[in-house]
Amino acid sequence: MKKRGFWPNLLKFSQEFISKPQGRVGLFMLAIFLFVALAAPIITKYDPIDDLYLAESMAKPAWVRVFPDNRNLPVTVHAKLGLHSWKTNSQFNLKSDEEIGENGFSFEVSPEKQTELLYQFRFESDPPGTFNFETQYLVKAPEDNTTTLALLMISPNGKEWPLWKKTIYGSEDETELLIDSRQMNLKFQLGLTMFDEVSQKVFQEKGNYKIVLRASTDGEPAMISFIPVAVNIQGKLHGVLGADHMGGDLWSQLVYGTRISLLIGIVAALISVFIGTAIGIASGYIGGFVDEFFMRLADVMLSIPSMPVLIILSALMGKSIWNVVILISLFSWTSTARIVRSQTLTLKERSFVEAARASGASKSYTMVVHILPNVIPLVFASLVLLIPGAILLEATLSFLGLGDPTTPTWGRMLHNARSFGAFTSGSWNWILPPGLAITFLSLSFVFIGNTLDDILNPRNRERS
Amino acid sequence: MNEVVFEAKNLKKHFFLRKSLKDTFQGKAAPVVHAVDDVSFTVKKGEIVGVVGESGCGKTTLGRVVLKLLEPTDGSIVVEGQDITKLSPEKMKPYRRKMQLVFQDPFESMNPRLDIYSIIAEPLRIQGLDKNEAEVEAKIRKTLEEVELKPADEYIYRYPHELSGGQRQRIAIARALVLDPEFIVADEPVSMLDVSIRGEVLNLMLRLAKEKQVSFIYITHDLATARHICDRIVVMYLGEAVEQCSADELVYSPLHPYTKALISAVLPPKPQKDGIKVILEGEVPNAANPPSGCRLHPRCPIAQKICTKESPKLKDVGNNHLVACHFAKK
Ligand SMILES: Nc1ncnc2c1ncn2[C@@H]1O[C@H](COP(=O)(O)OP(=O)(O)O)[C@@H](O)[C@H]1O
Ligand SMILES: [Mg+2]
């Protein structure tokens, strides 16, 4: 069957929507959030849950360096030194080697020339608390070769810090390497006492630092492979929004939180609108006992304070976002059910419903064919208006520590902020962003919902 | 022409209202609206029967009871000799094909989200007659032409809001016709239309009755149009049928004072008749609390003592002319 009327109607509807300032603003805000949610992996390179100790505990955002007080605070450095990062002398060729791992690289060493990979970077602040290097290496050489690998740092004044040195006889399988500035043996290796901080000594100066990877061998040429060398300097300043108590990246938590909040809000609202619509149509159309039962149930749901019940239930059901979604849905269907019921009551009296009855239509036929399509626009507005409620409720539950600790949500950020002293230490960079994000995301749905309501709800419209 | 397709026997429909708190304290019984009280009539094949009365006298209720859209409180409904009063919705379904209705408001009677095709196809689908879509479409086109919406192509995929009131009312008639019913209840089908197109729609009904032998129960408050198209007319007052006879006889020799009043209100007085203009005084009484005896007596110019006590029986004064008045004589 042809549906000629649909597209022109949609066009007219969108024009009407766009013509309202509230609708425009809401749509614009939502578009930003949607973009952030979809592009999360591009916007931030850190994992919101698993990447810890990226910076010092409760590091401030990197950009606060613009204030003179913070000019000398160390900024976090996270670099992966791969194939293209290193400067090489031309005696050997560095090539890609996926065998050892992602973005791995390898090079050949021969007795003629000690080979050296060099990476230079500027460091222009006070010394950081700690730093570390992480990588994996693999050596392929004949039995009787002796291969030496070393990693060192060279200060701007030319002083060399031999951070690591290893002598390998023959070949060696994949081996992990972690050099941490807090290691005792490293202190002794560098000729420091156990009370010295390696990072304080190494990063004493400001200027160009060099990281050098040296390899040499006797006998036949040897193949040496590395995965990109991770250089982590935990600064007091970090990223866009700083770090939490565990050195986790707050910006990535905020960005990934957008996904969860949108998902929870939309799924919970969809479920509750689905329940609400079904119940609303059934009680409005069937009436009698069914109506009485569901409406009293709705009264009960409305009158019992949902928060304590939600707290108890979520404590009983365990911490998972799907539990939160289900709980929120169970408590938010009532408003939709009421709206749909009252609309159904008026639709039921419209004569096209009676015409269908006069042809012998069953109740279910009438509800699906005549009532449902005519309550959908209304339901649509109420769906959008339910989303902010669900988002806020989820944030509240998470804030109270009843959310899923393995899911990055805004409520969880605020919960951690409260638990780990962000409020007392005035870590505005931890508290404000999730708070504002919750506010603006909710607001965008309220704006859109109000506009939809204006356009779609017959009560707000002149009969045309 | 003389085959009876429909018969209403002593139909009653009472609405039992909820007691107000005040009534409960005063010990009064819950009010009962006697919307239809003891109405009987028959409809023959191809006949148009008019039901005429002021608004609020129970015409719409009667129409809905006749179609069993409302359960009658008492009395029986007979379709083609079969009593359907007590049938379950399941058993009713085949009979629904025989009886259809057309509503007063053409703006309310169609789902705004469906196109004309779907609207007219709906009765076929509900009745399970839509197995072959090509046949459905052919039937819809044929029906559209029967209600003089030609060419069908111009209407079939449009939406109700794109059509005028008169066109919509034709669509409504098409929807009623598509099941080839025996009779159609048309509840004030032209009262919401422009005067200029009322005649066309009424003539359409007249033509369908003649050519397709579809009977109509034409419900109206307008005696003039009823007289124009009806074979027989039932006059209702406060839920009761007060007079019933052929259209011409009703207009030229009305017997009931209420009928007389209706006629003098709408038709120019006939000089050849006695010329008395009957005008009723006062308001239509509350249907929840009808007057005792003859329900017309508080407004009737010829009321006597007996009228306040005894309710007059509907009696045949000859020539199948039924009237319920203590003083009605031929
Ligand atoms: N569902 C109902 N419940 C209670 N009273 C009703 C109901 N439907 C109609 N009535 C009453 O029945 C009487 C007849 O109404 P109706 O059949 O609509 O009259 P008409 O169509 O002649 O104007 C009116 O007094 C009306 O108030
Ligand atoms: Mg009516």
Side-chain angles (χ1 to χ4, degrees):
Chain A
M1 228 176 293
K2 290 172 206 161
K3 285 250 177 236
R4 290 204 327 199
F6 184 71
W7 291 110
N9 280 350
L10 193 71
L11 190 71
K12 197 172 137 247
F13 169 78
S14 1
Q15 281 164 353
E16 198 175 342
F17 190 97
I18 293 296
S19 73
K20 307 207 180 224
Q22 230 191 32
R24 266 200 310 259
V25 172
L27 216 53
F28 177 71
M29 280 160 56
L30 181 62
I32 293 177
F33 280 108
L34 277 178
F35 172 78
V36 169
L38 290 175
I42 302 167
I43 295 174
T44 170
K45 56 184 175 174
Y46 301 114
D47 184 282
I49 298 288
D50 294 337
D51 285 345
L52 297 175
Y53 310 112
L54 296 168
E56 285 197 8
S57 174
M58 303 179 85
K60 289 272 179 282
W63 48 265
V64 301
R65 272 166 62 107
V66 298
F67 303 111
D69 282 357
N70 302 324
R71 196 142 293 156
N72 286 324
L73 292 179
V75 178
T76 305
V77 173
H78 292 284
K80 292 237 184 210
L81 307 183
L83 183 60
H84 302 291
S85 316
W86 300 99
K87 274 203 195 107
T88 62
N89 46 1
S90 54
Q91 264 76 11
F92 64 93
N93 38 18
L94 202 56
K95 54 183 189 293
S96 166
D97 177 10
E98 294 286 331
E99 191 193 326
I100 181 163
E102 207 181 328
N103 301 324
F105 57 92
S106 63
F107 52 90
E108 203 180 58
V109 216
S110 62
E112 286 76 53
K113 181 75 184 170
Q114 169 176 287
T115 53
E116 203 169 80
L117 307 186
L118 185 122
Y119 177 78
Q120 180 172 315
F121 65 97
R122 277 190 82 73
F123 191 81
E124 291 182 282
S125 59
D126 296 342
T130 67
F131 67 88
N132 66 56
F133 293 86
E134 245 179 309
T135 187
Q136 273 177 33
Y137 63 91
L138 172 73
V139 178
K140 280 184 196 154
E143 282 290 329
D144 47 358
N145 263 35
T146 308
T147 309
T148 313
L149 296 178
L151 189 106
L152 39 116
M153 274 188 73
I154 304 173
S155 303
N157 63 6
K159 183 169 169 39
E160 291 199 0
W161 301 91
L163 298 177
W164 174 69
K165 187 165 182 154
K166 176 112 189 244
T167 308
I168 296 145
Y169 303 103
S171 298
E172 181 158 339
D173 285 341
E174 277 174 49
T175 311
E176 294 202 6
L177 169 63
L178 172 69
I179 305 162
D180 192 306
S181 68
R182 288 166 298 190
Q183 286 161 345
M184 258 331 147
N185 55 357
L186 181 62
K187 293 182 186 177
F188 298 138
Q189 194 179 317
L190 295 175
L192 303 173
T193 71
M194 62 186 289
F195 302 107
D196 286 323
E197 285 291 347
V198 174
S199 57
Q200 296 289 334
K201 298 284 179 194
V202 172
F203 287 101
Q204 235 163 11
E205 292 170 81
K206 295 177 185 172
N208 289 329
Y209 281 78
K210 298 190 188 81
I211 298 171
V212 178
L213 195 59
R214 262 184 206 147
S216 62
T217 191
D218 54 6
E220 297 293 305
M223 277 303 285
I224 297 168
S225 316
F226 273 90
I227 64 167
V229 180
V231 180
N232 303 311
I233 301 176
Q234 298 185 3
K236 292 188 166 58
L237 300 180
H238 167 82
V240 183
L241 287 182
D244 66 8
H245 60 297
M246 300 276 276
D249 183 43
L250 289 173
W251 172 241
S252 69
Q253 292 177 11
L254 187 78
V255 167
Y256 279 92
T258 312
R259 287 186 166 186
I260 304 296
S261 286
L262 277 173
L263 184 75
I264 289 188
I266 291 171
V267 173
L270 273 177
I271 297 178
S272 57
V273 157
F274 181 80
I275 301 175
T277 308
I279 289 182
I281 291 181
S283 27
Y285 192 75
I286 299 172
F289 173 75
V290 177
D291 187 25
E292 201 68 18
F293 174 77
F294 281 123
M295 286 306 112
R296 291 302 81 78
L297 185 66
D299 288 345
V300 170
M301 295 302 258
L302 276 179
S303 56
I304 52 177
S306 59
M307 217 49 225
V309 178
L310 280 176
I311 290 170
I312 293 168
L313 283 178
S314 59
L316 289 177
M317 286 168 67
K319 297 179 172 184
S320 133
I321 53 164
W322 297 115
N323 285 347
V324 173
V325 166
I326 292 168
L327 288 177
I328 293 172
S329 318
L330 284 183
F331 274 89
S332 356
W333 58 267
T334 48
S335 59
T336 317
R338 282 176 181 284
I339 299 170
V340 169
R341 174 179 174 271
S342 65
Q343 180 73 1
T344 304
L345 287 178
T346 70
L347 283 169
K348 187 168 122 176
E349 299 303 321
R350 298 275 289 274
S351 32
F352 58 79
V353 170
E354 195 151 35
R357 281 219 295 140
S359 300
S362 64
K363 283 186 171 151
S364 50
Y365 172 92
T366 314
M367 286 191 271
V368 172
V369 173
H370 290 302
I371 310 283
L372 184 62
N374 284 296
V375 298
I376 286 284
L378 208 68
V379 162
F380 203 61
S382 105
L383 169 77
V384 176
L385 286 172
L386 270 178
I387 294 174
I391 290 174
L392 285 174
L393 212 51
E394 186 279 328
T396 312
L397 286 177
S398 294
F399 177 71
L400 294 174
L402 296 162
D404 183 350
T406 62
T407 314
T409 72
W410 294 335
R412 173 181 170 277
M413 279 178 86
L414 288 171
H415 170 70
N416 287 344
R418 198 196 63 86
S419 310
F420 299 100
F423 287 85
T424 42
S425 71
S427 295
W428 49 267
N429 57 306
W430 196 350
I431 303 158
L432 284 185
L436 290 177
I438 292 170
T439 312
F440 282 114
L441 184 59
S442 304
L443 208 58
S444 75
F445 282 110
V446 171
F447 283 170
I448 293 173
N450 281 344
T451 313
L452 285 177
D453 202 44
D454 273 355
I455 300 176
L456 299 174
N457 197 332
R459 136 175 73 84
N460 304 327
R461 233 189 349 185
E462 308 284 295
R463 181 168 160 177
S464 54
Chain B
M1 182 74 195
N2 282 331
E3 188 191 335
V4 174
V5 292
F6 174 81
E7 207 175 344
K9 289 184 188 159
N10 307 93
L11 276 185
K12 281 186 190 162
K13 180 66 197 181
H14 296 175
F15 292 109
F16 298 90
L17 302 182
R18 282 200 188 178
K19 245 199 268 195
S20 69
L21 198 60
K22 189 176 146 215
D23 287 349
T24 313
F25 281 127
Q26 292 179 350
K28 283 191 195 159
V32 180
V33 179
H34 297 244
V36 175
D37 232 352
D38 212 0
V39 174
S40 310
F41 62 97
T42 59
V43 180
K44 291 179 187 151
K45 199 164 180 62
E47 194 181 40
I48 300 182
V49 173
V51 175
V52 181
E54 287 165 293
S55 102
C57 72
K59 306 180 300 290
T60 297
T61 308
L62 176 68
R64 298 175 76 205
V65 170
V66 158
L67 292 171
K68 263 196 65 157
L69 292 170
L70 282 175
E71 291 297 322
T73 310
D74 196 13
S76 51
I77 306 162
V78 180
V79 174
E80 293 190 316
Q82 188 77 36
D83 188 337
I84 61 161
T85 324
K86 293 276 176 306
L87 291 187
S88 67
E90 271 311 300
K91 297 230 174 79
M92 258 315 281
K93 207 164 167 179
Y95 288 96
R96 296 254 174 241
R97 250 183 252 177
K98 301 185 190 298
M99 40 207 256
Q100 284 290 306
L101 85 167
V102 173
F103 293 95
Q104 177 174 17
D105 186 349
F107 294 87
E108 281 272 296
S109 66
M110 285 164 221
N111 189 336
R113 282 170 208 288
L114 299 180
D115 62 3
I116 302 307
Y117 186 110
S118 314
I119 289 170
I120 302 181
E122 178 170 52
L124 296 173
R125 300 202 195 287
I126 293 172
Q127 287 287 340
L129 304 174
D130 61 343
K131 297 293 175 279
N132 181 342
E133 199 60 36
E135 271 176 31
V136 170
E137 179 160 356
K139 180 77 190 167
I140 290 169
R141 288 177 185 279
K142 181 167 162 268
T143 314
L144 278 174
E145 294 191 354
E146 271 168 5
V147 296
E148 293 159 6
L149 290 175
K150 290 184 240 186
D153 269 325
E154 210 175 289
Y155 301 95
I156 196 160
Y157 294 121
R158 295 175 73 179
Y159 283 79
H161 64 85
E162 299 170 348
L163 303 179
S164 72
Q167 287 168 332
R168 287 194 209 200
Q169 207 56 306
R170 286 170 194 269
I171 300 288
I173 295 174
R175 172 174 63 188
L177 270 184
V178 77
L179 288 172
D180 296 318
E182 295 296 330
F183 70 94
I184 294 174
V185 175
D187 187 359
E188 314 229 21
V190 295
S191 68
M192 305 261 297
L193 302 182
D194 289 345
V195 178
S196 55
I197 45 180
R198 283 182 186 173
E200 291 173 23
V201 173
L202 291 174
N203 283 335
L204 171 66
M205 286 167 59
L206 205 53
R207 213 200 73 221
L208 290 170
K210 283 222 182 73
E211 289 175 10
K212 288 199 59 150
Q213 291 289 298
V214 186
S215 312
F216 280 91
I217 296 175
Y218 172 56
I219 293 174
T220 183
H221 60 266
D222 181 4
L223 189 58
T225 60
R227 177 208 169 193
H228 174 60
I229 65 166
C230 294
D231 299 297
R232 281 178 73 76
I233 293 179
V234 179
V235 179
M236 280 183 77
Y237 182 73
L238 272 186
E240 291 180 328
V242 292
E243 185 161 11
Q244 184 179 148
C245 62
S246 75
D248 289 336
E249 191 164 336
L250 190 87
V251 172
Y252 289 112
S253 50
L255 295 180
H256 199 282
Y258 179 65
T259 316
K260 289 180 184 164
L262 274 187
I263 289 170
S264 50
V266 289
L267 301 177
K270 295 273 183 275
Q272 69 268 33
K273 276 281 138 195
D274 44 19
I276 307 163
K277 229 180 148 184
V278 185
I279 294 169
L280 295 183
E281 297 186 342
E283 299 275 307
V284 183
N286 184 354
N289 188 14
S292 61
C294 175
R295 288 186 184 178
L296 187 64
H297 82 255
R299 301 170 75 193
C300 181
I302 58 168
Q304 308 276 323
K305 204 158 190 187
I306 182 175
C307 301
T308 64
K309 298 198 183 92
E310 246 177 76
S311 154
K313 296 267 172 306
L314 200 62
K315 54 183 183 276
D316 194 339
V317 293
N319 197 14
N320 212 359
H321 188 154
L322 307 177
V323 64
C325 179
H326 293 297
F327 304 104
K329 276 187 278 314
K330 247 224 143 125

